[in-house]
Amino acid sequence: QDDAIGSTLLSKDASKFQAAESSWHQDNHLAALESLNPVAAAVTRAHKAVPDLKVEVEADTLEQAEAAAAAGADIIFIEAPESVEEMVEVGRRIDKPLLANIVVGGSTPLLSTKELSDIGYQLAIFPGSAFLALQTKAIIFHTTLPTICFSGYH
């Protein structure tokens, strides 16, 4: 039944699965989650199945996040807050570890880990950041290569 509400187990190491090292992730984007009762049920099932498991719930709104926190979720992730003020409000109202998803070009403001910590976020992911750094180096390399090759440095 968990598939009906988008529940998945995510391992820290994608090459092997160990429940004790995993977190339960409740994807809140599915229509089946119009009511938050399935979230509370999923959180309870996850805690009963593996008591040491950290349960992360993704919420689209602050109200959903508050309900997930009240249901016992260990980590709260609010999808794409669009301002620092909104993020500050989340940090003020949710008394659980908060996860920020910082994507260059995304909706969420680009804040440093210190700035995130200052407003109440304990966890952050920066998907795509390493790729952007490598892309920048590749552009520099490819624009410099013709100069090196044609200036007698071969």
Side-chain angles (χ1 to χ4, degrees), residues 81-146:
E82 296 183 356
S83 69
V84 174
E85 293 76 20
E86 184 180 353
M87 295 177 77
V88 167
E89 183 67 10
V90 169
R92 190 181 68 72
R93 288 176 51 182
I94 304 291
D95 189 26
K96 296 281 184 171
L98 298 170
L99 170 67
N101 181 17
I102 308 298
V103 178
V104 174
S107 300
T108 303
L110 297 175
L111 300 177
S112 69
T113 53
K114 176 164 182 356
E115 291 168 317
L116 289 167
S117 178
D118 288 348
I119 63 172
Y121 285 75
Q122 294 80 8
L123 304 162
I125 56 174
F126 298 84
S129 297
F131 174 75
L132 290 174
L134 291 173
Q135 181 183 28
T136 302
K137 291 294 185 185
I139 290 169
I140 292 169
F141 173 76
H142 284 290
T143 56
T144 308
L145 186 61

Side-chain angles (χ1 to χ4, degrees), residues 48-72:
K48 283 183 181 176
V50 185
D52 294 332
L53 197 67
K54 296 295 181 192
V55 179
E56 174 195 343
V57 175
E58 178 178 341
D60 292 322
T61 67
L62 183 52
E63 292 73 25
Q64 289 175 343
E66 288 175 321

